[in-house]
Amino acid sequence: MKEKIQVISAQAKLEITNADSVKILTDLKVKYLGKSGMVTELLKGMRDLPKEERPNAGKLVNDLRAEIEGFFAEKESVLKEIELQKTLETEAIDITLPGKTNKLGALHPITLIKNELIDAFTGMGFEIFEGPEIEEDYYNFKMLNIPEDHPARDMQDTFYVNDNILLRTQTSAGQVRVMLDKKPPIKILSPGKVYRSDDDASHSPIFHQMEGLVVDKGITLCDLKGTLDEFCKIMFGKDAKTRLRPSYFPFTEPSVEVDVSCSECHGKGCKLCKGTGWIEILGAGIVNKKVLEGCGIDSEVYSGYAFGMGIERIAILKYKIPDIRLFYENDLRFLKQFK
Ligand code: PHE
């Protein structure tokens, strides 16, 4: 019995000392101290001993048990320490490393300018109206005094869906919708996408316009000029000036092209304004009586003005952008500059 115990003790000591993981140690615990482990087996074997030997043998086995438990306790604390060190090493945080930042999105420059325009005009009492992008010929052309086969249709290369339906070429289509729907006084601003079959450095098949329409008693070209003067000051600075040049649109009579003084050279003439000191920013005019009458508004009582500007054009001027296509490529290096 004594020898057996010594052998087990030596074996346990060796195996426990060599165990290098908690898993191996747990297995060893089962092997020695488990329900049918070696020490437990010894205890069970006591039954076969003569009665007088039992107390002594019992003490020996209990001592062995205590001894082995001691081996385990010692090894366990060593292994725990090692494992703690390992986790400390692998989970170490280097607080000198730069943090991971979340990339924040930002508004597109067209949206920024659109919002600025909306702010400027709503500040002057305009209300927003948004018409459909897929539009009927009726609103986009016919009711704007551009009948079928009229040469003015060539001013805008149109994407047709079928004979009657098209992608609107101008936000002016919204004018008709508003006038058919509302009695004067009318004072609306209509921003949105428009489509034309055009594609080069200054034209895109899809671009944005902002339409303005005011109909009331006694509206004249002076009201238009005053409103646009104020708008240009808000948009381009206090000393911005405007001038009107005669032009032609079928739905306004008289029609004008509106220029703003060049913000780069302040009128002296430079590359941006092609030496003229002025930059064209929009088309406008007094709403053609035919258009008013077509929408059921008495042109003897009411008159109105309308204007339409390209949002890209304003953004190009304000941010000095060389190519309209930059707006649609969504290159982050470009977009980041407008944060
Ligand atoms: N719709 C015209 C265009 O797209 C601009 C315009 C709007 C002109 C309103 C006069 C009045 O060119």
Side-chain angles (χ1 to χ4, degrees), residues 144 155-156 169-173 175 194 196 207 209-213 247-252 254-257 282-287 305-310:
L144 287 170
M155 288 165 78
Q156 299 170 357
T169 61
Q170 49 189 354
T171 43
S172 303
Q175 286 187 33
V194 297
R196 289 184 203 179
F207 62 105
Q209 280 190 338
M210 179 83 76
E211 190 88 6
L213 172 71
S247 183
Y248 171 75
F249 299 101
F251 38 92
T252 47
S255 299
V256 293
E257 214 82 64
L282 57 89
I286 291 298
V287 181
Y305 68 74
F307 59 85
M309 67 184 91

Side-chain angles (χ1 to χ4, degrees), residues 78-234:
V78 172
L79 283 182
K80 267 191 192 145
E81 181 62 23
I82 291 173
E83 249 155 57
L84 177 67
Q85 285 309 323
K86 259 195 219 158
T87 0
L88 283 179
E89 271 162 36
T90 52
E91 289 177 13
I93 298 168
D94 181 351
I95 54 162
T96 63
L97 280 175
K100 285 183 195 154
T101 50
N102 286 332
K103 287 202 180 93
L104 269 189
L107 292 180
H108 190 279
I110 295 297
T111 309
L112 290 175
I113 293 290
K114 184 176 104 176
N115 290 347
E116 264 188 67
L117 294 172
I118 288 177
D119 280 353
F121 284 106
T122 49
M124 293 189 258
F126 285 77
E127 279 174 53
I128 305 292
F129 167 82
E130 282 180 304
E133 286 173 33
I134 300 172
E135 185 56 285
E136 289 171 46
D137 184 292
Y138 180 78
Y139 297 100
N140 194 88
F141 288 133
K142 204 164 164 226
M143 290 293 278
L144 287 170
N145 192 30
I146 316 175
E148 239 174 281
D149 304 322
H150 191 282
R153 289 209 177 194
D154 292 344
M155 288 165 78
Q156 299 170 357
D157 294 309
T158 311
F159 291 112
Y160 282 93
V161 176
N162 62 33
D163 282 352
N164 296 319
I165 297 178
L166 42 80
L167 301 185
R168 69 174 172 199
T169 61
Q170 49 189 354
T171 43
S172 303
Q175 286 187 33
V176 180
R177 286 184 175 272
V178 171
M179 285 191 282
L180 284 174
D181 193 48
K182 259 182 88 164
K183 299 262 155 302
I186 291 170
K187 197 169 185 183
I188 58 108
L189 191 69
S190 187
K193 294 189 187 79
V194 297
Y195 302 82
R196 289 184 203 179
S197 172
D198 254 348
D199 203 0
D200 60 39
S202 51
H203 296 90
S204 157
I206 171 173
F207 62 105
H208 300 75
Q209 280 190 338
M210 179 83 76
E211 190 88 6
L213 172 71
V214 174
V215 183
D216 205 346
K217 285 179 184 152
I219 296 290
T220 70
L221 213 52
C222 289
D223 298 299
L224 172 70
K225 172 99 165 90
T227 305
L228 293 178
D229 271 350
E230 183 58 25
F231 156 68
C232 283
K233 283 190 173 43
I234 295 172

